[in-house]
């Protein structure tokens, strides 16, 4: 029988929730950093919407969109770093080399 920690570990490709989704094992610190950044981005997006509603000059709106995209890329980098340093290493150490193919596919999506 697996423990709760094992069920939420990064090797969870073998441990799926009842809904079929895999779980990550982010520390509370990492999770809080991600949520804080995403809340800020959410506010930026609402701000962009407000600028468009107020007929703000296009260049100003585009600059705000660029800032939001940069912030979202920053969240992606943080998550990717955590994923590589924990989940990917764990799965490779367990002999699951498919994680490399999965990682490359994900990185290609992030770099579009």
């Amino acid at each position: 029988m697996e423990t709760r920690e094992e069920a939420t570990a990064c090797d969870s490709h073998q441990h799926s929730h009842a809904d079929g989704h895999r779980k990550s094992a982010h520390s509370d610190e990492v999770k809080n950093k991600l949520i804080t950044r995403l809340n800020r981005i959410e506010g930026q997006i609402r701000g962009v919407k407000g600028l468009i509603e107020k007929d703000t000059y296009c260049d100003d709106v585009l600059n705000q969109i660029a800032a939001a995209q940069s912030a979202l890329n920053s969240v992606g980098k943080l998550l990717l770093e955590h994923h590589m340093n924990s989940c990917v290493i764990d799965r490779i150490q367990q002999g699951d080399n498919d994680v490399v193919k999965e990682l490359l596919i994900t990185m290609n999506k992030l770099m579009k």
Side-chain angles (χ1 to χ4, degrees):
M1 173 140 289
E2 69 187 18
T3 66
R4 184 166 186 229
E5 279 182 18
E6 290 170 331
T8 60
C10 289
D11 64 333
S12 59
H13 64 284
Q14 298 171 0
H15 307 288
S16 295
H17 268 231
D19 62 6
H21 291 95
R22 296 179 292 182
K23 293 237 347 153
S24 181
H26 300 297
S27 68
D28 286 343
E29 180 184 352
V30 170
K31 197 176 198 177
N32 289 336
K33 279 184 186 180
L34 292 169
I35 290 170
T36 298
R37 289 180 183 206
L38 289 168
N39 286 337
R40 193 174 308 128
I41 294 165
E42 186 177 29
Q44 287 177 297
I45 299 302
R46 280 193 303 272
V48 168
K49 181 180 173 190
L51 293 175
I52 291 172
E53 289 171 345
K54 295 178 202 168
D55 296 321
T56 304
Y57 185 61
C58 295
D59 192 56
D60 294 336
V61 177
L62 291 168
N63 283 324
Q64 290 304 310
I65 289 172
Q69 285 175 326
S70 178
L72 197 52
N73 286 339
S74 178
V75 169
K77 288 177 190 174
L78 181 63
L79 193 54
L80 180 61
E81 179 182 342
H82 173 75
H83 181 58
M84 290 177 73
N85 284 322
S86 57
C87 306
V88 173
I89 289 172
D90 290 347
R91 286 177 59 184
I92 288 172
Q93 287 174 344
Q94 293 173 13
D96 182 2
N97 293 326
D98 287 342
V99 69
V100 175
K101 184 172 25 171
E102 177 185 283
L103 180 62
L104 290 172
I105 291 167
T106 299
M107 289 178 69
N108 280 327
K109 289 177 185 177
L110 283 172
M111 293 181 182
K112 281 187 179 182

